[in-house]
Amino acid sequence: MTGLAIRDLTAGIGTSQIIRGLDLEVPYGEIHALMGPNGSGKSTLCHVLTGHPRFEARGTVSLNGNDLLGLDVDERARRGVLQAFQYPTEIPGVKLQDLLVEAGEERGIPPEEMTERIERLAPVFSMEPFLERAVNDELSGGEKKRSELFQLAVLQPRVALLDEIDSGLDIDAVRQVAEAVKSMRAPDVAVLMITHYSRILRYVIPDRIHVMVRGRIVESGGPELADRLEAEGYEAWRE
Ligand SMILES: Nc1ncnc2c1ncn2[C@@H]1O[C@H](COP(=O)(O)OP(=O)(O)OP(=O)(O)O)[C@@H](O)[C@H]1O
Ligand SMILES: [Mg+2]
């Protein structure tokens, strides 16, 4: 399979395990949704995949058959394992445009190429007014989420980990963010979208939905699984 493959992943901090034997595959070209109760380990999974040094991880994670777990955080980013954060950080004093050009330079992408991507994608994400402003500084909640997605798109991920990019958005903004997510679908990109709400899944129809409870995937299914979750919640898997 081409794409992201995770087998028997265990991860935690010290002796406290947060991810407990997780199996998950997200093939290139597909968008998968990850849902699950608060504290089940969804954000931790993103941090572990991007290589946050705080977490110790065991198991197998590969991208196109190449091991990821042995690589440090910078190398994983260079290979395109990128995360849009649940709580985007503000970087006062650093303009968004400059941050992106610098991020490109770190990856060996020339400034002209980054500028071209920024100019092409800014209208898609309605980000033109924010390019000269400090990163996420004084932005509304919805604007921050859009900015996160825009930054990710400009860096052209191979694995896009979208952590609750639809939380706190008004109805129009959900639609806008959904369009942005749909625009990320590509033959060499795997998208994992974490959400608590089935409303965004009406606009972005995922290829698969996975349910995560206490550090493992306990159920996977087609888009119809979202309706079942909406009706029944996570009760069935809590025991
Ligand atoms: N740095 C840390 N130190 C100790 N415990 C942590 C740390 N980070 C996360 N945890 C714990 O790991 C568990 C999983 O947290 P995580 O943020 O991954 O959940 P989540 O599924 O993303 O939840 P939510 O839907 O609320 O965002 C929680 O119980 C959390 O308290
Ligand atoms: Mg989370």
Side-chain angles (χ1 to χ4, degrees):
M1 188 206 71
T2 59
L4 176 71
I6 306 171
R7 259 182 271 295
D8 199 21
L9 180 68
T10 304
I13 301 170
T15 54
S16 120
Q17 294 299 318
I18 301 169
I19 309 290
R20 308 156 194 251
L22 180 137
D23 297 309
L24 178 66
E25 287 190 353
V26 188
Y28 278 163
E30 296 193 1
I31 298 176
H32 288 204
L34 181 62
M35 305 182 81
N38 295 130
S40 54
K42 304 177 299 298
S43 295
T44 301
L45 175 64
C46 295
H47 300 317
V48 169
L49 293 177
T50 55
H52 197 297
R54 189 197 291 150
F55 300 97
E56 288 165 39
R58 277 182 290 115
T60 325
V61 179
S62 64
L63 184 58
N64 258 359
N66 300 311
D67 168 64
L68 275 186
L69 279 190
L71 307 177
D72 68 19
V73 58
D74 292 332
E75 184 54 31
R76 292 190 210 191
R78 271 192 291 274
R79 293 193 187 194
V81 183
L82 301 177
Q83 176 178 6
F85 288 95
Q86 180 171 2
Y87 304 108
T89 35
E90 301 180 1
I91 317 178
V94 178
K95 286 183 194 168
L96 179 57
Q97 169 110 19
D98 297 344
L99 176 88
L100 285 169
V101 170
E102 200 172 302
E105 268 167 13
E106 282 167 20
R107 293 169 168 77
I109 306 163
E112 310 78 61
E113 159 83 21
M114 287 308 278
T115 307
E116 184 277 319
R117 290 186 197 177
I118 291 165
E119 283 171 4
R120 180 165 42 83
L121 289 168
V124 178
F125 293 80
S126 310
M127 284 302 290
E128 297 103 317
F130 303 103
L131 294 175
E132 292 296 317
R133 282 174 59 179
V135 180
N136 290 336
D137 195 25
E138 312 284 326
L139 266 61
S140 83
E143 290 165 349
K144 277 187 195 170
K145 299 281 185 180
R146 220 165 62 221
S147 176
E148 281 288 298
L149 275 182
F150 169 67
Q151 292 169 50
L152 206 76
V154 169
L155 291 171
Q156 296 186 346
R158 310 304 294 270
V159 177
L161 305 165
L162 313 179
D163 198 356
E164 297 202 19
I165 34 122
D166 56 331
S167 295
L169 299 188
D170 71 47
I171 296 155
D172 293 339
V174 168
R175 246 181 253 172
Q176 215 174 9
V177 160
E179 287 307 317
V181 173
K182 282 198 311 207
S183 76
M184 284 185 175
R185 194 193 279 278
D188 55 355
V189 178
V191 178
L192 184 64
M193 178 176 67
I194 295 168
T195 182
H196 285 296
Y197 308 104
S198 53
R199 56 178 192 173
I200 194 169
L201 303 179
R202 284 201 288 272
Y203 305 112
V204 184
I205 311 285
D207 298 281
R208 302 282 289 167
I209 296 178
H210 309 277
V211 181
M212 183 167 180
V213 177
R214 283 204 240 105
R216 324 182 49 159
I217 303 298
V218 295
E219 180 101 35
S220 297
E224 69 287 347
L225 184 53
D227 301 325
R228 196 179 129 201
L229 293 172
E230 190 76 23
E232 299 173 15
Y234 299 111
E235 205 50 49
W237 296 288
R238 279 192 200 269
E239 287 78 53

